[in-house]
Amino acid sequence: MNWSFLQGVLSGVNKYSTAVGRIWLSVVFIFRVLVYVVATEDVWDDEQKDFVCNTLQPGCTNVCYDEFFPVSHVRLWALQLILVTCPSLLVVMHVAYREERERRHRRKHGPNAQSLYENPSKKRGGLWWTYLLSLVFKAAVDSGFLYIFHRLYHGHYDMPRVVACSESPCPHTVDCYISRPTEKTIFIYFMVVIAVICILLNLTEVTYLVGKRCLETFRRMRRQSRRQSHLPDTCPPYVLSKGEHPANGNSDLMKAGSTAVDTGGYP
């Protein structure tokens, strides 16, 4: 499988990520993609070829292999890596859409027209929501695959050396032997732990983004309230120039400490 496209996606989204997001990308690329390409495929390349059962009954070995390995670990992890990196591609596409919209706006209104975005790659507005939802989706994908793995293999992460099988067309209960079970167990635990770390990093970044946005909103509200509290009075107090109203109902209005501003009726 060619992983160069996936590497390009991860490298492209790196400049749009936060510090926590860059850590997540490094973990995914080094401890998941590279480990998968370099070692994992070689560890599991003999899982079916060297799955031997002590019987010559035709079809028994294949049925027993399907019973204990309903989905290949390698293919399950490959699908997980593809799905968990797709949201990063959506972020890159959203930034590209913003940049293209900005170019069309300048072609239409001239190079000196006001920009639509202060910075097309800055996480504001719709891009902020796209980035946030991508984090939630990535954490959900990893969590979902861990649950699927748990259900398929009944919560057993240790690879047994010998498994007993009595599925048809096996004539009786037969013993089947798995090649390199210890090595496979080590890689299973490694991939599961890295997936858990990636989930925690995603949730940490979600908390960081939401907390930062709430803090910015709170600060903006405080600045607005301070500006409103320091606004000058638009209608300064006025007092009557005389202590009593005249008989005709009119009075001279005097601003406190100033000259007269209205000598007629004041509705």
Side-chain angles (χ1 to χ4, degrees):
M1 186 175 184
N2 188 3
W3 294 95
S4 59
F5 173 74
L6 183 60
Q7 178 183 355
V9 172
L10 296 177
S11 301
V13 77
N14 186 56
K15 57 184 178 181
Y16 308 129
S17 303
T18 63
V20 181
R22 294 187 181 96
I23 296 175
W24 179 87
L25 287 170
S26 300
V27 171
V28 170
F29 183 71
I30 296 174
F31 295 103
R32 297 181 78 170
V33 176
L34 288 183
V35 169
Y36 180 91
V37 173
V38 174
T40 306
E41 287 186 319
D42 294 334
V43 172
W44 261 268
D45 62 351
D46 61 348
E47 59 177 340
Q48 187 171 8
K49 180 180 63 177
D50 292 341
F51 185 83
V52 180
C53 298
N54 58 353
T55 180
L56 298 178
Q57 176 68 31
C60 180
T61 301
N62 291 335
V63 170
C64 292
Y65 176 83
D66 184 69
E67 173 68 18
F68 292 100
F69 295 99
V71 178
S72 172
H73 290 70
V74 176
R75 295 178 180 87
L76 189 66
W77 288 332
L79 181 61
Q80 181 180 0
L81 284 174
I82 292 172
L83 291 180
V84 85
T85 51
C86 283
S88 301
L89 180 61
L90 294 178
V91 175
V92 176
M93 292 174 61
H94 196 151
V95 174
Y97 165 76
R98 280 187 161 194
E99 293 174 347
E100 178 61 25
R101 188 182 178 193
E102 184 70 31
R103 285 193 294 268
R104 286 184 296 177
H105 175 74
R106 292 190 176 277
R107 284 199 303 266
K108 182 177 180 180
H109 299 282
N112 297 325
Q114 185 178 2
S115 300
L116 296 175
Y117 307 100
E118 180 182 353
N119 185 355
S121 61
K122 192 173 184 179
K123 290 180 285 295
R124 288 292 184 272
L127 183 60
W128 186 87
W129 284 104
T130 300
Y131 193 87
L132 182 68
L133 293 176
S134 70
L135 295 176
V136 175
F137 183 81
K138 287 186 286 190
V141 167
D142 276 332
S143 301
F145 272 89
L146 287 179
Y147 176 76
I148 292 172
F149 186 85
H150 179 82
R151 293 287 295 179
L152 287 176
Y153 296 100
H154 308 289
H156 299 297
Y157 299 105
D158 293 325
M159 189 68 66
R161 291 178 171 84
V162 182
V163 293
C165 177
S166 58
E167 297 293 322
S168 177
C170 298
H172 51 78
T173 300
V174 298
D175 293 330
C176 298
Y177 303 91
I178 300 175
S179 64
R180 294 185 289 180
T182 303
E183 189 176 11
K184 288 181 170 66
T185 300
I186 293 173
F187 275 93
I188 289 174
Y189 276 103
F190 180 83
M191 298 299 283
V192 169
V193 169
I194 294 300
V196 173
I197 292 175
C198 289
I199 293 173
L200 294 178
L201 288 174
N202 290 142
L203 296 180
T204 301
E205 192 171 7
V206 168
T207 304
Y208 169 76
L209 287 176
V210 174
K212 183 179 178 181
R213 176 56 60 89
C214 292
L215 186 61
E216 291 176 352
T217 303
F218 177 72
R219 289 176 177 174
R220 190 183 307 113
M221 292 175 62
R222 288 189 62 183
R223 287 196 298 266
Q224 291 177 354
S225 62
R226 288 177 180 177
R227 285 198 299 266
Q228 291 176 358
S229 62
H230 288 82
L231 287 177
D233 295 334
T234 56
C235 296
Y238 291 91
V239 297
L240 292 173
S241 60
K242 298 180 181 181
E244 297 179 354
H245 293 286
N248 59 1
N250 296 328
S251 62
D252 294 335
L253 296 179
M254 298 286 294
K255 183 179 180 182
S258 63
T259 58
V261 295
D262 187 9
T263 57
Y266 189 76

